Amino acid sequence: MQRRSGTPLPGADSALPDPRRRQLLQALALALGAPAAARLTAGSASLAAALSWADSPAGAEAPAEVFSETQLEILRVICAHVIPATDTPGAAELGVHRFVDHQLAHVEDAEARDQACHVLDALDGQARERRDTGFAQLAYDDQRALLEDLEAERNGFGPGEKWPFKKLKDLVVFGYCTTETGATKLLAFDPVPGGFRGSIPLESVGRAWFS
Amino acid sequence: MAKGEPVIVDETREEFDVLVVGSGVSGGWAAKEFCEKGFRTLVIERGRLVRHRQDYPMEGVPPWKQEFGGKVPLDVAARDHAVQSQCYAFRASTRGYFGNDRELPYATAEGTTFSWIRANQLGGKSLLWARQSYRLSDHDFEANARDGEGIDWPIRYADLAPWYDHVERFAGISGSREGLPQLPDGEFQPPFEMNRPEQAVKQAVESAFPDRKVIIGRTANLTKPTELQVQLGRVVCQARSECENGCSFGANFSTQSATLPAAARTGNLHIAPNSVVHSLIHDPASNRVRGVRVIDNETLATREYFGRVVFLCASTLGSTQVLLNSASKRFPNGLGNGSGVLGRYLMDHNYNSVSRGDIPGFEDEYYKGRRPTGVYVPNFQYEPSRYRAHYKRGYALGGSAQRGGWQWGGYRDGFGAEFKAGLGRPGPWNWVFYAQGEMLPKRENRVDLHPTLTDKWGIPQLNIDIRWGENELLMMEDAAEASEAMMRAAGIENLRSDVTQKPPGLAIHEVGTARMGRDPKTSVFNGNNQAHEVPNLFCTDGSVFCSTATQNPSLTFMALTARAADFAAREMANRRL
């Protein structure tokens, strides 16, 4: 498992508005004594982790556990179609296909694994039938057309492909949104909100919270 | 030993003033109260030590630093946590606080299921609890007497009210004052805010149903810490939603954050970890409990601890198991069980009705932070005149309004930049109501010791025999209908309800099996939580409950414990104990 531990959050302070941050530190210092408070907010496993920055969901070049090389490549292409690179990196670049393989190997059951393999094979089969080439080798637009047919249960795809695909897509979304990039760039990640406010304008966040 | 630190005990011949069995919500309170009153107190904990802050390894660990994004591998869950993994709070970051089911076997009667959630470490389930904190009212204490189920509670609200005050002030409960007869107000810190859709639902429900209120949940999270709380190292809740992972801010109430530091700073606190209580040592000549027999959690070595008074706070089923396993010639059916009701009248709350819907509008509204509570509809069928005709008693509803997020995003159609951007936008608002129903006390819902099966410590396994009755099933059907009616009145759309029959246990509100009462012929403990038949033996966890009421029980464990400790302390001072 690749775990690049990154640089500290640019100004851990930014997690809280400054006055609240000061208030919190003062309260902690009072409660714990200044050295303990400093340890807790700077060096402790807990808050350091809460305020730290890392990247990448899953192992970069480890061999796949569930998928063949061909299947993994198809899934990589699917990742690029589902969550492409925009102003933030896409799912394929972040290795989400490998995360999904790992997740299927350990967190999902045998049926989910079989279904995932089935839907990837079905895409490859349709590609060969239509263009006499593998799915991953199709032109981008042809890949997209096949994926759209799959979601719409048409042109050779039925519910037996659609629902396993949705499950796979859900794993892609989960894998991406739980990367550092997904959680903090596409979504808004707020490890220490400093308290709860029941009503704020959506535009003040501009994005969905990670949680 | 520095003041402020507990003394960790292994072998000792010392006779303590008080032995406290268990260190969860109840045990922590017993320790605090006795230590503060000057008694040398030994807390006997079957599991490992969990130190505040130092032993919360998963606190604040973001998903990208967890191998499976925070999920638990299936083989691990199936092998070690077949029961525990059914709990709503079970995840990779909390797994370390749940028991290993392979080491904690129990039996269930044929055709029945009970999901027994275990948290065997210092702090017990206080590390995992959902923190909802509600007082029982006289309607609850009188319910059995008024409708003829079970036996009458030996206490009334007035007996417990000052102790609710006492424990709320110390624990720190946030909530709103409402003046409701069925849900007495307390010593609250400021309430958490409702979001706008919740405020709208509150207004609509309350005007359509004058007997119903939608209030903010009362929770043991600090919103305005007192000086004492700050002294103990507790600061205001940051709305991180790290409660069950361990909160280094001490913002939620746990044994670690609150009662143990208070107990430890007296210098009177001793803790014996890894000490599985096998049974109580009863001296027939004096008719007193002299101490406890312990088996080491890890080495299986045996040892004994001695004390003048014993407080059983080992959890509902834990305490009852100890009593059943302490049978003797004088008490052949379990210690203090002359009545024969020990093990009987097991109850849990029924959460088998969940209703959901979509809230139109409020597109520009959002919230900040992860609020550690939801909204709450107090039981509106709290006295016989308000019962539905076809079943007895009632239910409370928990709920909340939230905006959908990316979590189900994979099931949306589409691809590409547009799909991706959609994941980054909050979805529509949705509503959930889940019922928290009373379960009637029934003699046939019971536990006993299995005749042949034992655990690794050689202790007979509990054999659990409980099932929902007709009353519970009817109540859940009705709760779903009532929930939908309220949601409809609030303009919530696309309503859907699930009425399930998940077995008891998963509410983790199991109570009963060693109930308190006025009559030694029908109860095990008296109105001071003192065993009718063994004067220096007390029990202050959920096993003493005579009914479930609809409220989450932990606040009442705290109040009963503090009250009983006060009583026992006075009895000791007067040399009656």
Side-chain angles (χ1 to χ4, degrees):
Chain A
M1 275 294 94
Q2 185 197 22
R3 299 275 152 188
R4 270 178 285 147
S5 59
T7 49
L9 169 63
D13 303 340
S14 66
L16 290 172
D18 269 350
R20 291 207 74 143
R21 174 87 184 158
R22 269 200 306 278
Q23 223 178 1
L24 166 63
L25 287 176
Q26 280 164 1
L28 274 173
L30 195 61
L32 313 174
R39 196 176 63 243
L40 191 59
T41 50
S44 91
S46 59
L47 282 205
L51 301 175
S52 71
W53 225 231
D55 208 345
S56 185
E61 301 313 327
E65 295 165 83
V66 173
F67 297 131
S68 68
E69 266 182 54
T70 306
Q71 288 167 332
L72 191 66
E73 178 59 12
I74 296 170
L75 183 57
R76 192 191 64 78
V77 171
I78 291 173
C79 283
H81 280 278
V82 173
I83 304 179
T86 52
D87 54 337
T88 54
E93 295 163 79
L94 293 184
V96 169
H97 50 298
R98 292 183 175 279
F99 174 85
V100 171
D101 174 76
H102 190 56
Q103 205 80 349
L104 277 165
H106 299 283
V107 177
E108 303 296 334
D109 60 16
E111 193 191 342
R113 286 190 283 276
D114 291 348
Q115 297 271 295
C117 291
H118 163 71
V119 75
L120 296 175
D121 292 346
L123 276 168
D124 215 34
Q126 278 295 320
R128 291 185 191 284
E129 207 165 289
R130 292 187 198 183
R131 296 270 186 247
D132 203 22
T133 180
F135 177 83
Q137 288 73 46
L138 285 178
Y140 182 85
D141 289 346
D142 292 337
Q143 290 170 344
R144 178 64 64 86
L146 268 182
L147 289 171
E148 285 171 353
D149 284 349
L150 174 51
E151 261 191 352
E153 299 178 44
R154 67 189 175 211
N155 299 334
F157 297 109
E161 287 74 42
K162 174 180 173 167
W163 293 110
F165 179 71
K166 290 291 194 189
K167 171 76 191 172
L168 204 53
K169 195 177 178 186
D170 198 49
L171 286 168
V172 171
V173 169
F174 178 81
Y176 185 80
C177 290
T178 55
T179 61
E180 178 214 346
T181 298
T184 66
K185 303 282 199 325
L186 179 65
L187 302 161
F189 191 79
D190 194 1
V192 188
F196 179 78
R197 285 161 64 196
S199 174
I200 62 168
L202 172 57
E203 62 182 22
S204 70
V205 191
R207 293 173 275 165
W209 296 119
F210 169 77
S211 66
Chain B
M1 181 53 61
K3 207 147 183 169
E5 293 289 321
V7 181
I8 305 303
V9 169
D10 181 18
E11 295 277 351
T12 177
R13 298 300 297 174
E14 175 175 353
E15 186 187 45
F16 289 90
D17 295 321
V18 184
L19 301 182
V20 176
V21 180
S23 63
V25 166
S26 303
W29 266 100
K32 168 183 132 50
E33 296 297 290
F34 281 116
C35 286
E36 288 182 344
K37 291 174 198 292
F39 294 102
R40 286 176 71 80
T41 304
L42 176 65
V43 172
I44 302 163
E45 165 53 50
R46 63 179 294 159
R48 68 189 168 104
L49 287 175
V50 171
R51 291 159 302 173
H52 188 40
R53 299 193 178 98
Q54 295 161 63
D55 293 328
Y56 302 153
M58 298 302 283
E59 179 187 12
V61 181
W64 58 89
K65 289 196 170 174
Q66 300 186 42
E67 185 172 1
F68 301 105
K71 306 214 170 188
V72 179
L74 266 195
D75 57 341
V76 173
R79 186 188 66 217
D80 294 342
H81 303 288
V83 177
Q84 309 306 306
S85 61
Q86 300 165 27
C87 176
Y88 70 93
F90 182 88
R91 49 187 179 264
S93 58
T94 57
R95 185 168 82 82
Y97 305 130
F98 282 92
N100 183 323
D101 289 311
R102 280 185 300 154
E103 296 197 335
L104 299 167
Y106 60 94
T108 49
E110 205 181 323
T112 72
T113 312
F114 181 84
S115 300
W116 188 6
I117 301 303
R118 327 284 282 275
N120 297 339
Q121 66 256 320
L122 190 69
K125 292 194 284 278
S126 80
L127 289 166
L128 291 168
W129 72 310
R131 308 164 306 283
Q132 292 288 296
S133 300
Y134 301 98
R135 295 185 177 203
L136 270 57
S137 76
D138 265 336
H139 293 292
D140 302 303
F141 290 114
E142 288 169 7
N144 285 0
R146 293 187 72 181
D147 65 20
E149 299 290 341
I151 56 162
D152 192 15
W153 284 79
I155 54 173
R156 287 294 178 264
Y157 180 66
D159 298 309
L160 219 45
W163 297 103
Y164 278 130
D165 290 350
H166 176 76
V167 299
E168 284 167 348
R169 265 187 232 118
F170 177 81
I173 311 296
S174 73
S176 56
R177 299 184 66 83
E178 302 285 345
L180 302 173
Q182 75 274 41
L183 196 76
D185 290 330
E187 299 278 322
F188 297 141
Q189 297 194 3
F192 281 93
E193 292 178 7
M194 287 190 189
N195 57 44
R196 285 286 157 80
E198 288 168 346
Q199 291 170 11
V201 169
K202 171 183 172 67
Q203 202 168 22
V205 168
E206 290 178 3
S207 70
F209 301 91
D211 64 333
R212 303 182 196 176
K213 295 285 279 186
V214 180
I215 68 174
I216 190 70
R218 296 172 178 174
T219 184
N221 291 75
L222 302 181
T223 52
K224 196 179 173 194
T226 63
E227 204 174 309
L228 173 60
Q229 285 156 350
V230 171
Q231 275 174 24
L232 291 173
R234 306 186 60 196
V235 297
V236 69
C237 176
Q238 303 294 308
R240 296 182 302 158
S241 198
E242 293 289 330
C243 305
E244 298 92 348
N245 301 337
C247 181
S248 287
F249 293 90
N252 62 347
F253 174 91
S254 67
T255 295
Q256 272 78 357
S257 74
T259 45
L260 274 203
R265 66 181 189 167
T266 65
N268 290 321
L269 178 63
H270 301 67
I271 300 175
N274 287 313
S275 299
V276 180
V277 171
H278 171 278
S279 53
L280 303 174
I281 304 164
H282 178 256
D283 172 29
S286 62
N287 189 31
R288 294 289 190 278
V289 174
R290 292 191 51 235
V292 302
R293 292 182 199 92
V294 159
I295 300 171
D296 192 277
N297 184 26
E298 287 163 354
T299 67
L300 306 185
T302 57
R303 54 182 176 264
E304 295 175 344
Y305 296 118
F306 299 97
R308 287 169 63 196
V309 165
V310 174
F311 261 57
L312 272 182
C313 301
S315 84
T316 289
L317 294 179
S319 289
T320 292
Q321 186 172 24
V322 168
L323 290 171
L324 286 168
N325 202 40
S326 304
S328 62
K329 204 168 163 190
R330 164 76 180 79
F331 293 107
N333 300 316
L335 186 59
N337 188 25
S339 66
V341 299
L342 182 65
R344 300 277 183 177
Y345 301 94
L346 175 62
M347 298 165 272
D348 190 24
H349 278 139
N350 191 351
Y351 278 72
N352 274 313
S353 161
V354 180
S355 300
R356 297 174 194 279
D358 304 327
I359 308 170
F362 301 99
E363 286 91 354
D364 299 330
E365 274 290 324
Y366 215 12
Y367 38 78
K368 178 176 168 61
R370 294 169 290 281
R371 191 180 56 193
T373 187
V375 302
Y376 185 77
V377 179
N379 179 15
F380 44 89
Q381 297 170 186
Y382 55 83
E383 54 189 345
S385 63
R386 295 168 189 267
Y387 290 175
R388 298 299 311 273
H390 60 305
Y391 66 89
K392 291 179 176 179
R393 309 218 182 162
Y395 50 87
L397 296 169
S400 64
Q402 285 192 310
R403 291 200 82 154
W406 56 271
Q407 282 82 354
W408 293 99
Y411 289 88
R412 297 178 201 157
D413 283 346
F415 296 93
E418 200 183 323
F419 177 84
K420 183 182 179 183
L423 293 175
R425 284 191 297 268
W429 289 86
N430 54 66
W431 184 267
V432 61
F433 259 151
Y434 56 88
Q436 187 171 331
E438 230 186 306
M439 181 181 194
L440 295 178
K442 293 292 182 191
R443 187 174 167 82
E444 61 270 24
N445 289 325
R446 63 173 300 197
V447 299
D448 58 10
L449 297 180
H450 195 278
T452 54
L453 297 173
T454 57
D455 60 22
K456 71 182 253 196
W457 302 279
I459 297 172
Q461 292 181 22
L462 273 191
N463 186 34
I464 306 174
D465 183 358
I466 182 173
R467 61 187 94 207
W468 303 119
E470 185 73 4
N471 201 73
E472 285 81 41
L473 302 178
L474 291 170
M475 185 189 291
M476 287 299 110
E477 297 283 350
D478 185 49
E481 281 176 33
S483 298
E484 289 200 3
M486 282 184 262
M487 291 159 72
R488 214 172 286 117
I492 297 171
E493 299 169 348
N494 192 20
L495 307 183
R496 54 231 184 247
S497 291
D498 283 314
V499 178
T500 50
Q501 292 202 23
K502 281 181 266 184
L506 290 174
I508 326 173
H509 293 171
E510 65 271 20
V511 293
T513 66
R515 68 187 181 187
M516 60 198 308
R518 296 185 191 89
D519 184 350
K521 289 198 280 301
T522 59
S523 56
V524 183
F525 293 92
N526 68 20
N528 290 311
N529 299 75
Q530 179 182 33
H532 285 298
E533 297 175 289
V534 185
N536 70 334
L537 174 62
F538 292 77
C539 179
T540 64
D541 56 35
S543 55
V544 302
F545 274 40
C546 297
S547 66
T548 63
T550 57
Q551 295 89 324
N552 307 57
S554 297
L555 186 74
T556 301
F557 301 163
M558 297 187 205
L560 284 174
T561 303
R563 178 173 173 270
D566 181 68
F567 171 81
R570 282 186 281 113
E571 292 292 284
M572 283 192 273
N574 292 332
R575 306 244 160 234
R576 282 194 291 269
L577 281 183

